[in-house]
Amino acid sequence: MTLQNILVVGGGTLGSQIAYQAAFHGKNVTLYDISDEALTQAASRLARLSPSYQEDLQASPAKTEATESAIRLTSDLSAAATDVDLVIESIPEIPTIKVDFYSKLAPLLPKEALIATNSSTMLPSRLADSTGRPDKFLAMHFANMIWIRNTVEIMGHARTNPAATAEIEEFTREIGMIPIVLNKEQPGYILNSLLVPFLDAAFKLWGTDVADAYTIDRVWMLATGAPRGPFAVIDVVGLRTAYEIFSQQPGDVAKAVAQKIKARTDQGYLGLETGRGFYTYPNPAYMQAGFLTALGDEKEQSTVTV
Amino acid sequence: MTLQNILVVGGGTLGSQIAYQAAFHGKNVTLYDISDEALTQAASRLARLSPSYQEDLQASPAKTEATESAIRLTSDLSAAATDVDLVIESIPEIPTIKVDFYSKLAPLLPKEALIATNSSTMLPSRLADSTGRPDKFLAMHFANMIWIRNTVEIMGHARTNPAATAEIEEFTREIGMIPIVLNKEQPGYILNSLLVPFLDAAFKLWGTDVADAYTIDRVWMLATGAPRGPFAVIDVVGLRTAYEIFSQQPGDVAKAVAQKIKARTDQGYLGLETGRGFYTYPNPAYMQAGFLTALGDEKEQSTVTV
């Protein structure tokens, strides 16, 4: 069975991107959100994606226009749920909101419809029963800017039917993305399970003044051949997210890290989103000739008073 | 002052490489070891480096021959210590052996001579007093295959004179290597402080069967643009080293990881050194077209019975 009729629930940043990506690849897409206001915002988000698809994927204006107009927007859940093959849920990360929503959605859906949650933080086993079809429920984790960062982590729970996982894997390829199938539930999936301790270690070296961010990145790049180091990755993740994590951790080192991050975020150094974080964009220092050998002796931006 | 007369202590794998690299770049190098037998082994190691410098750095046979013959080998410590500007110590990682050696060496050396330890595991503050010149003592950490992996982490302790650190930094550049200067002592320096938690996270995902090694590497490569993932790095580090670490860690997860590694090492899958570890060499799967998209559906080698 090909999953052709897709219902995306939630028109936020990722929900909009998922809807757009699926429609771009020829799926019949309905985007549901709770109010006309939310749908208006979702429509703006969809419209803002077209230039990115044109620029980054060389899509023609005709193709992006057709993609936008093919996505059906609705706040009528009964209508949205008709004839759906796959629901991809991307609503707020609050367990009771998700459970309530699934309980409302489940009876409206065709019995055979699959459901995938895009949750970053909740394991699918926690939500499975509320979907009324635990064997057809799993997690599909997209990263922001899915048209470029086109990996999807697919994670079932113990009762997910392997046939459902296989269908989702095929669907992922059909919408131009690379499926990564986990064998079992894992908080943080694979990517964040690797990234979190890696970035944590980098922040602690920096927070305790063992070395500046540029030096730490340089070591990683030289030793592993990676095109960027941990602080370049952090600029993508965003410094506010990093601050939230460290400000909630116990211990003096975490406190020192949080304070040093806050000195940056207070001055608008939020990362890629503001064009400056540990690096300034475009053309960050780590992409410049001589960065690795430090012949220009680039040092971490000292414009921030810490 | 240029550091020209170099005494390398210990003709093991790294000591030989350090002596060769310094001589190759025009330093006057003496290699000291404790016995004629040890020196004979060191001489073989030096001879085996010449083909690598020819192949990897396009050095001429005349140049490598001159390099080999320029290195003075001796087991006479008094003679070795005469007129030395810098000692680089690369002897076994046993604190008492290092302390005893420094206590014996210190009175024989010129008063102004600097001393650097290549220790991976001991902080320089622990050894400083035994050198008789704590202000002129620091750690210089080389990685195996220094002519290619040409980064040196330079780490002083609280009493190291910044002028000494600056001289070592200059010396590092003079022998064709990239200096990374730490601001303070850090167990594991920068690189291992990042690598250890990163590889630990990867091993735990694999050891608990969340995903196979190839899938984990693929996720990291796709998400970060890195040319290789954690298991490719582990093949370089060596699986026996990984086993030693996990077999000494407490907990069920570490035990599961250690057992899965042992199933590989028992069958000779030691990593790059045996041509097979998680990948087979040359031409490991992660370098093949299609690895990232898994269109060929490469899976981790299942030749190992676990």
Side-chain angles (χ1 to χ4, degrees):
Chain A
M1 176 181 121
T2 294
L3 303 170
Q4 183 59 29
N5 297 329
I6 313 302
L7 170 59
V8 176
V9 175
T13 300
L14 267 171
S16 304
Q17 292 178 20
I18 296 164
Y20 198 104
Q21 179 81 7
F24 186 82
H25 286 273
K27 299 296 178 182
N28 304 327
V29 178
T30 301
L31 178 57
Y32 165 84
D33 213 321
I34 47 170
S35 66
D36 287 347
E37 195 191 332
L39 288 173
T40 305
Q41 291 179 0
S44 313
R45 289 197 182 94
L46 292 171
R48 285 199 299 271
L49 288 170
S50 287
S52 297
Y53 275 70
Q54 288 170 29
E55 190 172 325
D56 296 330
L57 304 183
Q58 285 75 52
S60 70
K63 176 74 187 278
T64 57
E65 200 176 303
T67 299
E68 274 185 60
S69 59
I71 299 168
R72 185 169 63 127
L73 301 173
T74 183
S75 59
D76 178 343
L77 190 57
S78 300
T82 307
D83 288 335
V84 163
D85 298 323
L86 168 64
V87 178
I88 303 177
E89 168 270 307
S90 187
I91 64 177
E93 292 279 80
I94 300 165
T96 53
I97 290 182
K98 287 198 199 276
V99 166
D100 288 353
F101 175 76
Y102 284 136
S103 307
K104 202 168 62 176
L105 173 70
L108 303 174
L109 281 179
K111 213 175 50 161
E112 293 305 313
L114 305 183
I115 303 180
T117 178
N118 181 46
S119 177
S120 298
T121 56
M122 269 167 270
L123 293 176
S125 57
R126 185 169 178 183
L127 304 166
D129 283 327
S130 68
T131 66
R133 65 199 77 207
D135 59 317
K136 297 187 182 67
F137 176 67
L138 45 61
M140 260 186 109
H141 194 232
F142 295 81
N144 191 18
M145 299 178 71
I146 71 174
W147 65 96
I148 297 175
R149 300 169 63 203
N150 63 340
T151 305
V152 179
E153 293 194 72
I154 298 169
M155 179 170 79
H157 59 101
R159 287 177 291 158
T160 304
N161 187 331
T165 305
E167 282 188 89
I168 296 291
E169 189 176 358
E170 188 189 338
F171 166 79
T172 301
R173 291 201 193 274
E174 286 169 355
I175 63 167
M177 306 193 72
I178 299 173
I180 301 287
V181 180
L182 281 71
N183 296 330
K184 57 169 75 164
E185 288 194 322
Q186 166 68 27
Y189 302 81
I190 294 172
L191 180 57
N192 283 339
S193 295
L194 296 171
L195 264 183
V196 169
F198 173 66
L199 299 181
D200 182 76
F203 264 125
K204 285 175 177 167
L205 289 170
W206 173 77
T208 56
D209 299 319
V210 170
D212 70 318
Y214 284 20
T215 300
I216 295 167
D217 277 6
R218 187 177 284 132
V219 170
W220 185 255
M221 293 165 75
L222 284 165
T224 70
R228 59 189 66 80
F231 289 94
V233 174
I234 288 160
D235 274 352
V236 177
V237 173
L239 273 71
R240 284 185 299 199
T241 302
Y243 175 73
E244 279 166 31
I245 293 168
F246 281 98
S247 63
Q248 288 164 24
Q249 271 185 28
D252 287 347
V253 171
K255 194 175 165 187
V257 172
Q259 281 173 346
K260 276 189 80 171
I261 299 172
K262 191 162 186 300
R264 299 195 154 244
T265 56
D266 281 352
Q267 297 186 42
Y269 289 75
L270 304 186
L272 203 51
E273 61 176 308
T274 56
R276 54 185 197 173
F278 285 96
Y279 296 91
T280 52
Y281 301 85
N283 305 319
Y286 70 83
M287 287 184 175
Q288 308 302 313
F291 179 76
L292 284 185
T293 53
L295 292 178
D297 247 330
E298 297 86 351
K299 289 278 178 188
E300 182 182 340
Q301 302 283 326
S302 55
T303 41
V304 174
T305 316
V306 180
Chain B
M1 174 181 125
T2 293
L3 303 170
Q4 183 60 27
N5 297 330
I6 313 302
L7 169 59
V8 176
V9 176
T13 300
L14 267 171
S16 303
Q17 292 179 18
I18 295 165
Y20 197 104
Q21 178 80 6
F24 186 82
H25 287 274
K27 299 295 179 184
N28 304 327
V29 178
T30 301
L31 178 56
Y32 165 84
D33 213 322
I34 47 169
S35 65
D36 287 346
E37 194 189 334
L39 288 174
T40 305
Q41 291 179 0
S44 312
R45 289 197 182 93
L46 293 171
R48 285 198 298 271
L49 287 169
S50 287
S52 298
Y53 275 70
Q54 289 171 26
E55 190 171 327
D56 296 332
L57 303 182
Q58 284 77 52
S60 70
K63 177 74 187 277
T64 57
E65 200 176 302
T67 300
E68 274 184 60
S69 58
I71 299 169
R72 186 168 64 125
L73 301 173
T74 181
S75 58
D76 177 342
L77 191 57
S78 300
T82 307
D83 288 334
V84 162
D85 298 323
L86 167 64
V87 178
I88 304 176
E89 167 272 306
S90 187
I91 63 177
E93 292 280 80
I94 300 167
T96 53
I97 290 182
K98 287 197 199 279
V99 167
D100 287 351
F101 175 76
Y102 285 135
S103 307
K104 201 168 61 173
L105 173 70
L108 304 174
L109 281 179
K111 212 175 52 160
E112 293 305 313
L114 305 183
I115 303 180
T117 177
N118 181 45
S119 177
S120 299
T121 56
M122 269 168 270
L123 293 176
S125 57
R126 185 167 178 185
L127 304 167
D129 284 328
S130 67
T131 66
R133 64 200 76 208
D135 59 317
K136 297 189 182 66
F137 177 67
L138 45 60
M140 260 186 111
H141 195 232
F142 295 81
N144 191 18
M145 299 177 74
I146 71 174
W147 65 97
I148 298 175
R149 299 169 65 202
N150 63 341
T151 305
V152 179
E153 294 194 70
I154 298 168
M155 178 170 82
H157 59 101
R159 288 176 290 157
T160 304
N161 187 332
T165 305
E167 281 188 88
I168 295 291
E169 189 176 359
E170 189 190 337
F171 166 78
T172 301
R173 291 198 193 278
E174 286 169 356
I175 64 166
M177 307 194 69
I178 300 173
I180 302 287
V181 180
L182 282 72
N183 296 329
K184 57 169 74 164
E185 286 194 321
Q186 166 69 28
Y189 301 81
I190 293 172
L191 180 57
N192 283 340
S193 295
L194 296 171
L195 264 184
V196 169
F198 173 66
L199 299 181
D200 182 75
F203 263 125
K204 284 174 177 167
L205 290 170
W206 173 76
T208 56
D209 298 319
V210 170
D212 69 319
Y214 284 21
T215 299
I216 296 167
D217 276 5
R218 187 177 284 132
V219 171
W220 185 255
M221 292 165 75
L222 284 165
T224 69
R228 59 188 66 80
F231 290 93
V233 174
I234 288 161
D235 274 350
V236 177
V237 173
L239 273 72
R240 283 184 298 198
T241 302
Y243 176 74
E244 277 166 32
I245 293 168
F246 281 98
S247 63
Q248 288 165 24
Q249 271 186 27
D252 287 346
V253 171
K255 194 176 165 187
V257 172
Q259 281 173 346
K260 276 189 79 171
I261 299 173
K262 190 160 186 300
R264 298 196 155 243
T265 56
D266 281 350
Q267 297 187 39
Y269 290 74
L270 304 185
L272 203 50
E273 59 176 308
T274 54
R276 53 187 197 172
F278 285 96
Y279 296 92
T280 51
Y281 301 86
N283 306 317
Y286 71 83
M287 287 184 172
Q288 309 302 313
F291 180 77
L292 285 184
T293 53
L295 292 179
D297 247 329
E298 297 87 350
K299 290 279 178 188
E300 182 184 340
Q301 302 283 328
S302 55
T303 40
V304 175
T305 314
V306 180

